[in-house]
Amino acid sequence: VDAVQLRASIPFLQSLFDLGMRIQSYGADFMVAACQGGNIETVAYFIDKTSFDLNSPLPVNETALIIAAENGHKPLVAWLLE
C-alpha cells in the first residue's frame, strides 16, 4: 500500500497484481492509500479495475472524496466530483 501512497506508476502497480496481488481482495485498502496519496491516475485505475461505489465508505469509514479532501488533494477532489 505504501507504493500507492508514494504515487507508484500504473505499470508498477499492474506488475504487483500480475505477481498475485488481487485488486478485489485488497482494493479497498489500495483505494484508501491512493486517495491519501492524491494520485488521480491511480484512483482512476482502481475504479476501472474494480466495482467500487465511490459513495460507499471505505474501511476507514470515510468515502474516497472525504479522504482526498482531508489530505488536501484539490485536483483529486474536483475529479471525484465530476
Side-chain angles (χ1 to χ4, degrees), residues 1 4 23 25-36 52 58-60:
V1 174
V4 179
I23 294 175
S25 298
Y26 302 102
D29 293 331
F30 279 112
M31 183 61 85
V32 170
C35 290
Q36 289 171 337
F52 279 116
L58 292 163
V60 293

Side-chain angles (χ1 to χ4, degrees), residues 35-73:
C35 290
Q36 289 171 337
N39 189 327
I40 294 171
E41 182 181 42
T42 304
V43 173
Y45 176 79
F46 288 121
I47 291 170
D48 182 55
K49 297 295 181 187
T50 65
S51 57
F52 279 116
D53 176 359
L54 290 175
N55 296 313
S56 294
L58 292 163
V60 293
N61 292 321
E62 295 179 335
T63 63
L65 178 63
I66 291 171
I67 294 168
E70 287 178 343
N71 286 278
H73 300 300

